């Protein structure tokens, strides 16, 4: 059935009143008629849902008008494909961005309901893991704020990654249940459902004109059904859409099997479908796990591309204008299969010639690379792709043939270079390199910090860069200041506004006006008072959740991020052990009281990362209960790190630990969040730390350790780090304590292999950077003791955060990659 034409001038209802009285009346109306509760017996979760619905109604008018305006003007749209969208809680975000915070708070107060309690009750959307997903969320909000018509595309995970709990210090993975009671922000779009196929066979078919085309006949089908969530821009500038796909079976139950007595087998199709959107990042250490991961990636890529092509044809008809009206950004390699899928849609389903389809594909796609780690670039066994996606494997072979032919004839590549750029890795089992596929199928490949982009050209994509030297560019990451300053730190926002005016709320660069005030004793006192209040709030959370008492007078030394060896939480906790030894050996010295705060999740199959979490908890148990420490050092690991927890920790941090092995962190965005909230950074010259150093100046950041070039040189010599350990008395003592079982008396050998790795290879330069790290921490102590200097540095960090706004990043994407205007 043909779709009805879009009516551009459809009647728009009158905007809803935003007075306290109107909002109060609507919350009550929603409570009674949508939630079905009498105010007398309503519970907090009932009030939360009613409030969300009342706020959502005021977002809807702007959402509809944003869509109509895009259709009316035929503006180019941006489509952001990401396996993660760590959007966090949405109610406060929406209220703040459309200016409803104060009237909603007043309306609820009249109803004897506390808005703060409701905000804390809203569940975090379990749609991501860490920086990749949070970046995607910041980017979506910024696209709305700078008025870019955009869709985010991802998966509607039922359980997301996992809920992290601790059992005797070990990470335990439990299902995340954020969708148990529904999601009032989302709308099911039953009309936007697409079939996604797997397996089957490919048959050649001759068209009437004699041309032979390939026809894929999958033997397995499921439905991708869309769920839309509004993403509100600052001051309601625009409301864009996050479209998440849920997998559903074509036939929910196979009645013939059920009636024959196979009651479990009758639900097989439902089980296959639900598995795809059940969990984020299923463990890929098994063949079944690899297959499920690939199914996830193709499922959401195929559904998204079918939706994009359908929308484009509906409005413009001619697919030849695709690059002029559509920009698709691949957020890392997870959606890389989209390159082959778009080629299939254009060639097989729409009859385009191969060369024209390839021109359109490259003109439409951009690819953001987020890692230099080979294992994170993803590759899939050829046999798996041939079985699961046989037509796509054919297309990948054809793309590869064209690329290698160009490399040989135009660029005169050697056999070694040909092997390096090939989409097929022939070493140790033939595998498809998804990073290479994304690279050759995109007109733009960007890194996410200046250092990372340079290293991309020199390492993982060195030969592809030689073949296509115009494609790689840099777009340093950013964070949305609405979420990570204005919303999570309202007291600081008010203080800044009172001092320099509210201009920074709309143009974050205006914070530079703070710099002349950084040495003002009165302003320093006010700035420090805000930090103190945030630390008191975090101390209460730590007491309530962990039953650990920490002093807000201590330095809050924070490292919160995904647990990975290259991020070097191990270096941080070894420093805690060395400091513990020093406090006990030299009680007469003057020490800066510290609380080392950790949070983050380890991948379920990443044994060393999980062992590091256990070590942190073991060390915490000993240090926190040793009276000889006299409260000078506490160690806290906060379970189940998510956006909401970060919003409490970040404003309270004094010291931000950004200590990754140089050359291994693509960018980082946690460093930017801490910077915005007035924390001093201790870090290596890695990722965006390099640009932070440039922005704040050498006196306002503490840099230590080897550079990326020095790390590469050390690795190339393959020298044994044992001598470096022996020369460092503090390091040697700390490692011996850990490896001998001082912190693990129940299992003295628990950490023997973990510590042994530092002696044998120390790939992540933990031992060889240790002394430099200790010296940097001593410098931090010296600054802390000079409170005026510390406060001035903190203020200058906040003042210098403007460059790291995601608005700036998105404007660069828009002008240099997507070709769309911004406001």
């Amino acid at each position: 059935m043909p779709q009805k034409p879009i009516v551009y001038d459809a009647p728009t209802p009158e905007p809803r009143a935003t007075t306290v009285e109107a909002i109060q009346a609507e919350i009550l109306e929603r409570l009674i008629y949508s939630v079905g509760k009498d105010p007398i017996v309503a519970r907090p979760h009932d009030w939360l849902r009613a409030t969300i619905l009342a706020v959502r109604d005021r977002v809807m008018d702007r959402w509809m008008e944003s869509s109509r305006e895009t259709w009316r003007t035929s503006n180019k749209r941006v489509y952001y494909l990401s396996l993660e969208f760590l959007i966090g809680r949405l109610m406060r975000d929406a209220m703040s961005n459309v200016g409803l915070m104060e009237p909603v708070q007043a309306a609820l107060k009249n109803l004897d309901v506390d808005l703060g309690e409701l905000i804390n009750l809203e569940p975090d959307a379990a749609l991501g893991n860490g920086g990749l997903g949070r970046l995607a969320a910041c980017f979506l909000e910024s696209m709305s704020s700078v008025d870019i018509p955009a869709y985010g595309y991802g998966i509607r995970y039922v359980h997301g990654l996992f809920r992290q709990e601790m059992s005797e210090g070990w990470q335990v993975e439990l299902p995340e249940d954020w969708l148990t009671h529904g999601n009032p922000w989302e709308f099911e779009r039953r009309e936007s459902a697409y079939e996604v196929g797997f397996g089957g066979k490919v048959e050649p078919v001759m068209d009437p004109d004699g041309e032979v085309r390939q026809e894929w006949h999958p033997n397995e089908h499921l439905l991708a059904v869309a769920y839309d969530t509004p993403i509100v821009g600052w001051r309601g500038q625009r409301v864009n859409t996050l479209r998440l796909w849920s997998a559903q079976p074509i036939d929910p139950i196979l009645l013939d099997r059920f009636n024959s007595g196979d009651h479990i087998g009758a639900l097989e199709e439902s089980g296959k479908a639900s598995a795809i959107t059940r969990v984020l990042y299923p463990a890929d250490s098994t063949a079944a796990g690899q297959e499920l991961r690939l199914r996830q990636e193709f499922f959401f890529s195929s559904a998204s591309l079918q939706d994009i092509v359908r929308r484009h044809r509906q409005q413009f008809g001619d697919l030849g204008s695709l690059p002029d009206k559509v920009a698709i950004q691949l957020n890392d390699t997870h959606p890389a299969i989209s390159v082959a899928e778009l080629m299939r849609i254009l060639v097989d389903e729409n009859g385009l010639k191969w060369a024209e389809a390839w021109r359109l594909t490259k003109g439409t796609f951009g690819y953001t690379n987020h890692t230099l780690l080979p294992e994170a670039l993803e590759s899939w066994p050829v046999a798996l792709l041939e079985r699961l996606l046989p037509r796509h494997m054919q297309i990948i072979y054809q793309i590869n043939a064209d690329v290698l032919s160009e490399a040989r004839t135009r660029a005169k590549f050697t056999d070694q270079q040909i092997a390096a750029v090939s989409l097929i890795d022939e070493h140790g089992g033939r595998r498809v390199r998804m990073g290479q596929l994304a690279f050759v199928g995109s007109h733009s490949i960007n890194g996410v910090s200046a250092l990372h982009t340079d290293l991309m050209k020199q390492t993982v994509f060195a030969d592809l860069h030689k073949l296509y030297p115009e494609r790689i560019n840099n777009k340093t990451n950013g964070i949305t200041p609405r979420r990570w300053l204005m919303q999570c730190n309202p007291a600081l926002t008010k203080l800044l506004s009172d001092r320099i005016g509210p201009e920074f709320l709309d143009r974050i660069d205006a914070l530079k006006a703070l710099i002349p005030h950084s040495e003002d004793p009165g302003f320093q006192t006010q700035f420090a008072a805000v930090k103190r209040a945030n630390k008191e709030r975090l101390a209460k959370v730590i007491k309530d959740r962990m039953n650990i008492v920490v002093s807000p007078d201590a330095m809050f030394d924070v490292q919160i991020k995904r647990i990975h060896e290259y991020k070097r939480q191990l270096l941080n906790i070894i420093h805690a052990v060395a400091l513990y030894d020093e406090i006990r050996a030299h009680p007469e010295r003057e020490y800066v009281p510290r609380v080392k705060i950790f949070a983050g999740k380890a991948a379920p199959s990443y044994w060393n990362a999980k062992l590091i979490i256990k070590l942190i908890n073991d060390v915490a148990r000993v240090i926190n209960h040793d009276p000889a420490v006299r409260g000078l050092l506490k160690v806290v690991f906060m379970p189940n790190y998510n956006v909401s927890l970060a919003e409490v920790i970040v404003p309270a941090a004094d010291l931000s630990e950004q200590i990754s092995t140089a050359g291994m962190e693509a960018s980082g965005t946690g460093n930017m969040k801490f910077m915005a909230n007035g924390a001093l950074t201790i870090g290596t010259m890695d990722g965006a730390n390099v640009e932070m150093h440039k922005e704040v100046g050498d006196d306002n950041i503490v840099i230590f350790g080897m550079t990326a070039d020095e790390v590469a040189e050390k690795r190339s010599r393959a020298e044994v780090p044992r001598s470096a350990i022996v020369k460092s008395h503090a390091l040697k003592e700390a490692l011996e304590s850990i490896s001998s079982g001082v912190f693990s008396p129940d299992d003295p050998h628990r950490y023997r292999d973990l510590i042994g790795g530092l002696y044998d290879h120390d790939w992540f330069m933990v031992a060889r950077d240790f002394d430099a790290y200790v010296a940097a921490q001593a410098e931090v102590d010296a600054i802390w003791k000079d409170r005026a200097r510390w406060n001035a540095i903190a203020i200058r960090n906040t003042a210098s955060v403007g460059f790291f706004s995601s608005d700036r990043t998105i404007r660069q994407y828009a002008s240099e990659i997507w070709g769309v205007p911004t406001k």
Side-chain angles (χ1 to χ4, degrees):
M1 179 181 295
Q3 294 186 349
K4 293 181 180 179
I6 299 296
V7 179
Y8 299 119
D9 56 352
T12 303
E14 288 295 318
R16 296 172 185 266
T18 57
T19 63
V20 173
E21 295 75 19
I23 292 173
Q24 180 178 330
E26 188 166 340
I27 290 173
L28 280 173
E29 182 180 350
R30 284 301 202 169
L31 181 72
I32 294 169
Y33 297 109
S34 297
V35 181
K37 277 292 184 75
D38 188 315
I40 298 172
V41 296
R43 308 291 292 174
H45 62 265
D46 300 319
W47 287 110
L48 171 65
R49 191 172 188 88
T51 304
I52 288 175
L53 294 175
V55 172
R56 192 186 73 177
D57 285 348
R58 284 157 175 78
V59 170
M60 293 301 298
D61 296 336
R62 303 167 194 243
W63 197 13
M64 299 293 180
E65 179 51 33
S66 294
S67 297
R68 290 188 183 117
E69 188 266 342
T70 304
W71 278 93
R72 279 195 301 266
T73 60
S74 298
N75 285 337
K76 187 175 186 178
R77 290 185 177 94
V78 172
Y79 298 99
Y80 198 80
L81 272 60
S82 179
L83 205 58
E84 299 183 42
F85 284 96
L86 202 56
I87 55 177
R89 295 166 173 163
L90 290 179
M91 184 172 74
R92 187 185 62 187
D93 201 42
M95 288 190 299
S96 175
N97 279 7
V98 297
L100 289 176
M101 187 72 77
E102 292 182 1
V104 169
Q105 186 172 25
L108 288 171
K109 186 177 181 180
N110 291 342
L111 297 167
D112 292 325
V113 178
D114 178 45
L115 175 60
E117 181 183 355
L118 298 192
I119 288 173
N120 291 332
L121 194 62
E122 184 180 8
D124 272 52
L127 299 172
N129 174 26
L132 182 80
R134 186 52 231 173
L135 180 78
C138 285
F139 277 5
L140 274 190
E141 194 264 8
S142 278
M143 282 186 251
S144 294
S145 294
V146 304
D147 201 24
I148 295 175
Y151 271 75
Y153 280 109
I155 292 179
R156 182 179 179 265
Y157 301 105
V158 177
H159 298 302
L161 188 65
F162 56 82
R163 187 174 82 255
Q164 180 194 55
E165 291 188 3
M166 293 295 130
S167 175
E168 298 182 346
W170 291 101
Q171 171 179 292
V172 176
E173 300 98 26
L174 298 172
E176 181 59 78
D177 57 359
W178 76 287
L179 276 177
T180 298
H181 303 293
N183 176 11
W185 288 106
E186 69 182 8
F187 296 84
E188 182 183 1
R189 305 301 193 197
R190 285 182 288 175
E191 73 282 4
S192 295
Y194 301 93
E195 281 197 26
V196 178
F198 296 97
K201 60 183 179 180
V202 181
E203 292 183 346
V205 175
M206 183 172 291
D207 288 335
D209 61 0
E211 289 287 330
V212 176
R213 60 182 177 85
Q214 303 299 319
E215 212 169 70
W216 179 30
H217 300 281
N219 59 10
E220 184 183 338
H221 301 264
L222 53 82
L223 276 180
V225 178
Y227 286 78
D228 287 357
T229 299
I231 303 297
V232 187
W234 177 237
R235 301 200 189 281
Q237 176 73 39
R238 167 180 284 277
V239 181
N240 281 322
T241 302
L242 172 60
R243 174 160 286 187
L244 301 175
W245 300 105
S246 178
Q248 298 180 13
I250 302 291
D251 296 312
I253 185 170
L254 304 175
L255 278 176
D256 55 340
R257 294 179 67 173
F258 189 88
N259 292 332
S260 68
D262 186 5
H263 303 145
I264 302 300
L267 300 175
E268 181 180 350
E269 296 302 310
S270 293
K272 281 184 178 179
S274 65
I276 286 181
T277 53
R278 183 71 59 182
V279 174
L280 169 66
Y281 296 145
D284 59 357
S285 53
T286 64
Q290 290 180 25
E291 179 172 331
L292 180 55
R293 181 85 69 91
L294 179 57
R295 282 175 178 268
Q296 281 186 331
E297 294 179 2
F298 178 70
F299 164 77
F300 104 92
S301 297
S302 176
S304 303
L305 289 170
Q306 290 184 65
D307 196 43
I308 292 167
V309 171
R310 185 269 308 165
R311 186 177 297 110
H312 180 80
R313 293 198 64 172
Q314 182 179 358
Q315 186 167 8
F316 302 107
D318 179 19
L319 286 173
S321 62
L322 200 65
D324 300 321
K325 296 298 182 181
V326 169
I328 304 175
Q329 194 69 30
L330 305 177
N331 192 29
D332 218 9
T333 54
H334 308 122
I337 194 66
S338 296
V339 172
E341 173 66 352
L342 183 56
M343 287 295 290
R344 185 192 68 81
I345 291 172
L346 295 178
V347 173
D348 296 359
E349 296 188 356
N350 290 279
L352 271 67
K353 301 298 184 184
W354 178 269
E356 173 66 2
W358 187 234
R359 181 185 71 81
L360 297 178
T361 295
K362 288 190 294 183
T364 301
F365 280 119
Y367 162 49
T368 300
N369 173 273
H370 285 277
T371 183
L372 301 174
L373 299 176
E375 66 269 21
L377 282 172
E378 287 195 319
S379 65
W380 301 112
V382 167
L384 174 61
L385 266 166
E386 287 182 323
R387 176 171 57 82
L388 208 60
L389 301 171
R391 177 57 181 141
H392 299 78
M393 194 63 242
Q394 287 183 345
I395 290 170
I396 289 169
Y397 274 129
Q398 192 167 350
I399 292 171
N400 198 41
D402 291 347
V403 170
L404 298 189
S405 176
E406 184 179 4
R408 181 74 76 186
T409 58
R410 177 177 65 79
K412 310 299 181 186
F413 271 20
T414 65
D415 288 344
Q416 185 176 356
Q417 289 175 306
I418 291 286
V421 300
S422 175
L423 306 189
I424 312 298
D425 185 354
E426 305 284 354
H427 302 93
R430 302 174 70 243
R431 301 178 71 88
V432 178
R433 296 162 162 161
M434 303 309 286
Q436 254 92 336
L437 177 62
F439 192 112
V440 301
S442 301
H443 67 279
S444 165
I445 295 86
N446 72 279
V448 290
S449 74
L451 175 64
H452 169 237
T453 300
D454 287 342
L455 290 174
M456 267 204 316
K457 296 176 182 179
Q458 300 167 26
T459 57
V460 291
F461 294 134
D463 290 292
L464 278 170
H465 176 55
K466 292 173 186 172
L467 186 59
Y468 305 113
E470 74 287 352
R471 293 193 189 180
I472 294 181
N473 59 91
N474 179 58
K475 301 289 175 285
T476 298
N477 282 344
I479 58 169
T480 167
R482 273 77 60 182
R483 171 81 67 149
W484 294 108
L485 176 58
M486 301 172 200
Q487 292 170 32
C488 77
N489 205 341
L492 180 57
T493 303
K494 183 178 185 305
L495 175 64
L496 302 179
S497 184
D498 289 346
R499 176 57 61 130
I500 62 171
E503 184 184 354
F504 74 92
L505 300 176
D506 297 291
R507 191 176 62 80
I508 197 69
D509 294 14
L511 282 175
K512 282 287 186 184
L514 278 175
I515 291 177
H517 302 275
S518 62
E519 303 286 351
D520 180 341
F523 185 61
Q524 285 190 4
T525 299
Q526 293 173 305
F527 196 92
V530 170
K531 178 69 73 174
R532 168 75 188 213
N534 289 328
K535 291 172 72 174
E536 288 174 352
R537 179 177 63 153
L538 177 56
K540 184 178 185 303
V541 171
I542 292 172
K543 175 65 171 65
D544 293 344
R545 295 189 186 183
M546 315 295 299
N547 199 29
I548 298 173
V549 176
V550 299
S551 170
D553 293 323
M555 181 197 301
F556 280 16
D557 176 353
V558 178
Q559 189 176 18
I560 50 173
K561 54 185 74 233
R562 182 166 51 96
I563 309 298
H564 196 292
E565 286 172 281
Y566 88 80
K567 294 179 183 287
R568 299 203 295 191
Q569 286 92 352
L570 183 57
L571 175 60
N572 193 349
I573 196 63
I574 292 171
H575 173 253
V577 172
L579 187 55
Y580 171 57
D581 289 342
E582 186 181 355
I583 290 171
R584 291 185 301 164
H586 298 281
E588 76 285 357
R589 294 177 181 169
E590 181 183 357
Y591 296 96
V592 170
R594 274 182 192 253
V595 181
K596 280 186 175 281
I597 299 170
F598 297 85
K601 296 178 180 179
S605 58
Y606 192 171
W607 170 250
N608 270 7
K610 296 174 82 168
L611 192 61
I612 289 168
I613 292 176
K614 173 61 173 171
L615 174 60
I616 293 169
N617 283 311
D618 276 351
V619 170
R621 177 179 44 80
V622 172
I623 291 177
N624 295 348
H625 294 94
D626 189 338
V629 178
R630 309 186 311 282
L632 292 169
L633 179 63
K634 293 285 182 77
V635 177
V636 178
F637 186 95
M638 302 192 72
N640 206 38
Y641 179 54
N642 57 18
V643 175
S644 298
L645 183 56
E647 289 172 349
V648 177
I649 297 175
V650 168
D654 294 305
L655 183 66
S656 165
E657 297 269 356
Q658 308 298 330
I659 58 176
S660 52
T661 309
M664 301 198 71
E665 183 72 85
S667 174
T669 54
N671 45 8
M672 305 167 191
K673 295 160 194 167
F674 288 113
M675 181 187 187
N677 286 273
L680 186 151
T681 297
I682 181 171
T684 51
M685 287 296 259
D686 195 28
N689 289 356
V690 177
E691 287 142 294
M692 286 175 60
H693 177 264
K694 178 182 176 182
E695 290 294 314
V696 300
D698 194 55
D699 293 337
N700 299 299
I701 189 171
V702 177
I703 297 295
F704 76 96
M706 286 180 278
T707 65
D709 288 342
E710 290 168 338
V711 169
E713 193 271 335
K714 287 277 187 187
R715 287 175 174 168
S716 68
R717 290 192 300 176
E719 67 175 33
V720 178
R722 186 175 298 270
S723 59
I725 296 173
V726 171
K727 291 176 184 176
S728 173
H729 176 74
L731 175 60
K732 183 172 179 290
E733 292 291 322
L735 296 184
E736 287 180 356
S737 295
I738 295 168
S739 62
S740 66
V742 168
F743 300 98
S744 55
D746 57 318
D747 182 2
H749 301 303
R750 179 178 295 145
Y751 303 113
R752 182 180 56 190
D753 293 341
L754 180 68
I755 300 305
L758 302 185
Y759 281 89
D760 295 336
H761 54 81
D762 191 24
W763 182 255
F764 300 101
M765 305 293 155
V766 171
R768 282 170 283 197
D769 261 351
F770 180 80
D771 284 349
Y773 181 58
V774 170
Q777 290 286 14
E779 182 182 349
V780 169
D781 284 349
I783 301 171
W784 178 265
K785 291 173 183 177
D786 183 346
R787 300 305 296 161
R789 183 183 174 199
W790 184 281
N791 291 332
I793 290 174
I795 293 167
R796 286 194 286 269
N797 268 268
T798 297
S800 303
V801 79
F803 176 78
F804 299 105
S805 166
S806 51
D807 294 355
R808 183 270 311 158
T809 312
I810 286 300
R811 286 190 175 102
Q812 287 186 327
Y813 273 95
S815 65
E816 298 170 21
I817 297 177
W818 302 331
V820 296
T822 61
K823 290 184 179 176

